[in-house]
Amino acid sequence: MGRIVAIGECMGELSETGTPGLLSMGFAGDTLNTAWYLRGMLGSDWQIDYLTAVGTDTLSQRLVDFLATERIGTQHIRRLAEKTIGLYHISLRDGERSFTYWRNDSAARRLASDPAAVAAALQDADVAYWSGITLAILPAGDRVALLEILSQFAGRGGQVVFDPNLRPRLWDNADSMRGWIHRAAALSSLCLPSFDDEAAHFGDASPADTVARYRDQGTSRVVVKNGPGDVTIADAMGRLDTVSVPSAQIVVDTTAAGDSFNAGYLAAELVGASMADAAAAGAALARKVIGARGALVRQALELQGE
Ligand code: ADP
């Protein structure tokens, strides 16, 4: 029996249906996507909880109901009156997606404003999963509180797994983003960056540079995703290896490629796979996810094992 707590923001997703005036409503968000794929990959001996904050309105309740239906634990979700969940809208024009967000004042920004509740949620957990987006949306004081709680969790032997998921628009400025991301990586034992983001915002010339930079911060193990390119892994001794990614027959929508890779990787490793085998499992899941539209592709889980 093990327990994973994913920490972050889940938003309502409004997408066009093709019928003018008719939108469909779903739920997604980087850490939620990973939690959802973890739930699909791991057996019932693993509990997956989602830690966030929502409002007390009907839409917030729909999100909580959705998580519960998907067998993701909701007992650590805070309810804040007068706040609600963030929303985003996806429109598709000539195959190109564009996004509009309403998330500046979302309830999730307060997810760490009761540090004792966060600490209690992590009591007895085995793994805490979070991302640079989780960190970006918090007020600075709450960032410090969350870093402290996760650092204590790691000190007790908990595994902290971090995807930097660099999103400069969520940060005041690039220097602030880089500084906080490195503080977060320093207390995380496994870091799962994507090379294109790291190259763009840290100037890394190669995935090996990304590995070296995060290991310099104190992250023990690093797995660098690189789209269709090889995954670069570094073990706790700093030994590098690469794992090739199976080519995708058709790429329909790359939404959640990285999030699903992380889930496939972690699920495999938690049941005993080596880093190289876990990376192959992550790539196999991500390949199925990018073959269909949307962040949460149920079919990708049904196809597991093929
Ligand atoms: P992110 O979605 O975070 O930007 P990447 O684009 O690096 O992350 O992709 C994450 C993973 O998804 C890759 O490591 C790979 O396994 C898979 N993937 C992404 N794009 C492709 C592709 N074109 N063909 C096959 N696999 C892909």
Side-chain angles (χ1 to χ4, degrees):
M1 182 77 196
R3 191 161 78 87
I4 302 171
V5 181
I7 307 170
E9 175 167 29
C10 180
M11 289 174 286
E13 177 194 79
L14 304 170
S15 47
E16 291 177 349
T17 56
T19 304
L22 192 64
L23 295 171
S24 79
M25 171 88 193
F27 296 102
D30 67 331
T31 47
L32 181 274
N33 300 342
T34 301
W36 189 86
Y37 285 108
L38 279 169
R39 180 64 289 162
M41 301 290 290
L42 286 166
S44 54
D45 51 340
W46 281 90
Q47 185 176 334
I48 321 287
D49 291 336
Y50 197 61
L51 190 153
T52 190
V54 302
T56 53
D57 57 314
T58 307
L59 195 52
S60 295
Q61 187 56 45
R62 289 229 177 114
L63 164 57
V64 175
D65 291 346
F66 165 77
L67 296 174
T69 304
E70 298 295 330
R71 298 178 297 125
I72 292 170
T74 60
Q75 61 271 44
H76 300 296
I77 298 182
R78 292 182 73 203
R79 312 289 182 118
L80 303 170
E82 294 166 30
K83 293 275 179 199
T84 188
I85 62 170
L87 286 180
Y88 69 101
H89 173 264
I90 310 179
S91 66
L92 197 60
R93 291 272 176 281
D94 305 325
E96 284 293 306
R97 289 170 310 136
S98 63
F99 296 87
T100 307
Y101 288 94
W102 298 266
R103 72 188 303 186
N104 289 348
D105 189 36
S106 65
R109 291 182 180 255
R110 303 281 172 278
L111 68 84
S113 60
D114 181 355
V118 179
L122 288 173
Q123 200 72 43
D124 307 325
D126 300 281
V127 179
Y129 178 83
W130 66 318
S131 78
I133 296 177
T134 309
L135 195 61
I137 62 170
L138 303 181
D142 291 3
R143 281 181 199 149
V144 175
L146 184 57
L147 286 167
E148 178 58 30
I149 291 164
L150 287 171
S151 168
Q152 285 172 9
F153 175 70
R156 294 198 303 272
Q159 189 183 181
V160 180
V161 181
F162 180 66
D163 183 337
N165 246 334
L166 305 173
R167 295 290 182 278
R169 268 190 285 180
L170 291 176
W171 294 92
D172 289 341
N173 59 66
D175 277 344
S176 166
M177 173 177 79
R178 288 189 281 258
W180 283 104
I181 291 289
H182 276 174
R183 288 176 70 177
L187 62 84
S188 301
S189 50
L190 173 61
C191 189
L192 302 162
S194 289
F195 178 65
D196 55 351
D197 287 350
E198 304 295 325
H201 303 296
F202 283 99
D204 299 343
S206 67
D209 283 358
T210 305
V211 166
R213 184 169 47 74
Y214 281 116
R215 282 189 47 86
D216 280 351
Q217 299 309 313
T219 310
S220 150
R221 299 184 304 131
V222 185
V223 176
V224 186
K225 296 158 276 179
N226 191 13
D230 288 355
V231 177
T232 302
I233 57 184
D235 68 11
M237 307 298 290
R239 288 179 296 229
L240 290 183
D241 196 2
T242 53
V243 175
S244 61
V245 160
S247 62
Q249 280 161 331
I250 174 167
V251 178
V252 175
D253 177 359
T254 57
T255 304
D259 305 334
S260 58
F261 176 97
N262 294 353
Y265 178 92
L266 203 51
E269 196 173 81
L270 289 171
V271 297
S274 65
M275 287 188 80
D277 288 349
L285 179 59
R287 176 177 173 274
K288 292 178 189 127
V289 170
I290 64 179
R293 271 182 76 163
L296 306 181
V297 179
R298 214 170 286 275
Q299 201 191 357
L301 294 168
E302 286 158 8
L303 291 172
Q304 277 310 307
E306 283 190 3

